[in-house]
Amino acid sequence: RKEQELDSKDAIILHQFSRPNNGVPSLSPFCLKMETYLRMADLPYQNYFDGKLSPQGKMPWIEYNHKKVSGTEFIIDFLEEKLGVNLNKHLGPHERAVSRAVTKMVEEHFYWTLAYCQWVENLHETQKMVSLFGPFSDLLKWILCHLTKGIVKREMYGHGIGRFSEEEMYTLMEKDMRTLAGLLGDKKYIMGPNVSTVDATVFGHLAQAMWTLPGTRPERLIKGELINLAMYCERIRRKFWPEWHHDDDNTLYESEESSEASKTYSPLQDFSFYSRTETFDEEGNSISQTPDTDYTGHSLFDSDVDMDDYRDHEQCK
């Protein structure tokens, strides 16, 4: 197929993997991180699911004013310089240092244990989520997933973490998740009451455990003992991904102020430009609504779950 010409003049073109078919925006923590960051920074962007890697062999990558940038850290630095955005301007030097340390723990350590769970141990379930179409889609999905499994195992061995036993890898994963839960505590976001860049990173990874690994140890941990991480994921999902909805949503995370009208969802967008500052009704008319409110103007995302109520509910179950 002839490659489509893209005009990235004054427009952010985000290249990433295709949407999976289970309603989650991406099976890649880094793609989800990047798209969530763009929404947090309120930067309009256009998705392009061409499957083409960057010149450095990376995904995701962006084009802006015909400049290609890959690697989420370099993309964020580039956008901060060109567009003047900065989600970390409220952080002091110590908080910035902690934020970077957490980012590296998540991306250079926790990521690999997630990749093992996704593409090795839980490959059969992951294969069901991959979205491919055509007469040979099932065969192509099987080939793609097993190729990915081999690549992940090889890269994990080169990294070093893949040389441990499965039980040892899950021990490392649990330590990382408990570290994140302890750092978050009862705060709204990782670094306090305001969102920062590290939240896009942490959410992009924790969302995989929350919504793409059914029945696995990380899912049981995040939805069980480390419930503050589940609340954190829900908080970000509802604030920055209002169209992302699961039929099996846990009602424990619902705000008491939520109404039936607030549960009207639209599909995840593929190619159209996205900006979270403007919302349209079903007829395409602009309406006054922020990502923090439903159609009645009530807040949807800032009410936290009472932990005592949650424990009572678990005991009843």
Side-chain angles (χ1 to χ4, degrees):
R1 185 182 298 178
K2 186 176 179 180
E3 194 170 301
Q4 180 180 345
E5 290 294 327
L6 293 177
D7 184 8
S8 63
K9 181 172 175 21
D10 298 326
I12 300 171
I13 309 296
L14 176 61
H15 296 259
Q16 61 168 313
F17 297 116
S18 298
R19 301 279 195 217
N21 57 23
N22 66 332
V24 176
S26 181
L27 294 176
S28 163
F30 291 97
C31 289
L32 184 53
K33 167 194 174 178
M34 195 66 248
E35 192 168 1
T36 301
Y37 171 84
L38 291 171
R39 292 176 176 227
M40 287 178 171
D42 199 15
L43 295 175
Y45 64 94
Q46 184 177 8
N47 277 315
Y48 197 63
F49 303 110
D50 54 355
K52 182 180 178 182
L53 300 177
S54 72
Q56 293 81 13
K58 292 283 191 178
M59 189 74 91
W61 55 287
I62 70 162
E63 292 180 78
Y64 180 76
N65 281 340
H66 308 292
K67 169 80 172 176
K68 298 178 180 180
V69 187
S70 68
T72 55
E73 185 172 356
F74 292 114
I75 292 173
I76 291 171
D77 290 344
F78 173 81
L79 294 175
E80 287 182 350
E81 179 184 352
K82 294 295 182 181
L83 302 178
V85 297
N86 189 351
L87 294 181
N88 298 330
K89 60 185 177 183
H90 61 285
L91 302 181
H94 175 74
E95 291 173 313
R96 289 171 186 260
V98 171
S99 177
R100 178 167 175 78
V102 172
T103 297
K104 293 302 113 180
M105 179 195 76
V106 170
E107 294 185 345
E108 306 297 341
H109 194 264
F110 181 49
Y111 163 76
W112 290 108
T113 56
L114 278 176
Y116 176 83
C117 196
Q118 268 186 319
W119 297 103
V120 180
E121 190 204 22
N122 208 44
L123 182 65
H124 181 68
E125 290 298 323
T126 302
Q127 184 176 324
K128 296 177 183 178
M129 302 176 194
V130 174
S131 180
L132 285 176
F133 302 97
F136 303 106
S137 59
D138 290 340
L139 175 61
L140 290 174
K141 283 200 291 187
W142 187 92
I143 294 172
L144 172 65
C145 289
H146 281 78
L147 283 174
T148 304
K149 175 182 176 179
I151 292 171
V152 168
K153 291 180 71 174
R154 184 175 69 247
E155 291 188 349
M156 287 183 69
Y157 190 85
H159 176 278
I161 199 169
R163 305 184 188 211
F164 297 113
S165 69
E166 179 179 297
E167 189 59 36
E168 288 171 327
M169 280 191 282
Y170 276 116
T171 298
L172 296 175
M173 171 186 278
E174 184 173 333
K175 286 183 177 181
D176 288 344
M177 293 180 71
R178 291 187 183 279
T179 298
L180 291 172
L183 182 63
L184 177 64
D186 59 358
K187 299 194 299 293
K188 189 173 180 181
Y189 300 112
I190 294 294
M191 301 309 298
N194 299 312
V195 72
S196 57
T197 302
V198 70
D199 291 298
T201 302
V202 174
F203 175 75
H205 288 72
L206 287 180
Q208 307 303 318
M210 184 86 172
W211 289 294
T212 74
L213 297 171
T216 61
R217 292 164 70 173
E219 188 205 46
R220 292 195 298 270
L221 191 60
I222 195 173
K223 293 183 178 179
E225 189 177 349
L226 305 182
I227 192 65
N228 67 328
L229 294 182
M231 294 160 54
Y232 168 81
C233 287
E234 284 286 354
R235 188 176 300 123
I236 292 180
R237 187 192 76 162
R238 296 181 182 209
K239 183 164 187 174
F240 299 104
W241 291 91
E243 76 277 33
W244 172 4
H245 172 62
H246 276 271
D247 292 335
D248 60 347
D249 278 348
N250 191 333
T251 55
L252 284 172
Y253 305 127
E254 294 286 348
S255 165
E256 293 180 358
E257 297 175 338
S258 296
S259 63
E260 289 301 317
S262 71
K263 297 178 183 178
T264 301
Y265 301 90
S266 58
L268 292 174
Q269 295 299 307
D270 287 347
F271 289 92
S272 58
F273 276 98
Y274 176 88
S275 176
R276 70 181 182 89
T277 55
E278 188 170 29
T279 305
F280 297 89
D281 61 18
E282 293 181 355
E283 276 111 32
N285 300 314
S286 180
I287 58 176
S288 178
Q289 178 187 357
T290 72
D292 292 300
T293 59
D294 62 13
Y295 290 96
T296 67
H298 291 137
S299 174
L300 290 175
F301 315 114
D302 294 341
S303 62
D304 293 332
V305 176
D306 189 292
M307 293 300 291
D308 292 332
D309 290 344
Y310 175 79
R311 294 189 186 98
D312 292 342
H313 178 86
E314 286 298 298
Q315 289 173 1
C316 290
K317 288 203 296 184

